[in-house]
Amino acid sequence: MSAKIEEKELEQLKAQQGAKARLLSDIGAIEAQKHELLHAFAEVVGESKKLNEELEEKYGKITVNLEDGSYEEIVEEDGQAD
């Protein structure tokens, strides 16, 4: 006959294993959600880039005040001394 741990100890081990399995499942679900969110973010970044290109084509290089829609031209310095 083989030696056994106490029933209480066995139940604790089983409970811990169950908790670890549930947590790993939750982690997997969160990683899947993270993956979806990263794709959605990349899509928004792409749309933003496209809109910025369209605005630059229409108005030139500008910075836009997101509060009221006003804009200012971006003055690029050429780096040459006068």
Side-chain angles (χ1 to χ4, degrees):
M1 184 184 278
S2 60
K4 293 185 177 183
I5 62 174
E6 294 180 14
E7 189 67 28
K8 181 180 177 182
E9 295 167 331
L10 180 59
E11 291 304 317
Q12 287 176 322
L13 285 174
K14 287 180 180 180
Q16 289 173 354
Q17 282 299 110
K20 287 193 281 186
R22 285 189 300 278
L23 290 168
L24 283 174
S25 177
D26 290 347
I27 289 169
I30 290 169
E31 283 296 324
Q33 184 179 16
K34 175 184 168 185
H35 183 76
E36 290 175 15
L37 291 170
L38 287 171
H39 277 287
F41 181 77
E43 188 173 316
V44 171
V45 167
E47 291 170 358
S48 178
K49 182 178 179 184
K50 181 179 177 189
L51 179 58
N52 286 339
E53 290 170 354
E54 291 171 0
L55 292 172
E56 184 173 330
E57 186 175 312
K58 184 173 181 177
Y59 298 102
K61 291 191 179 204
I62 59 171
T63 58
V64 178
N65 180 327
L66 295 178
E67 295 294 320
D68 63 10
S70 63
Y71 68 89
E72 293 182 17
E73 289 185 38
I74 298 174
V75 178
E76 294 184 18
E77 297 184 23
D78 59 10
Q80 296 178 357
D82 289 329

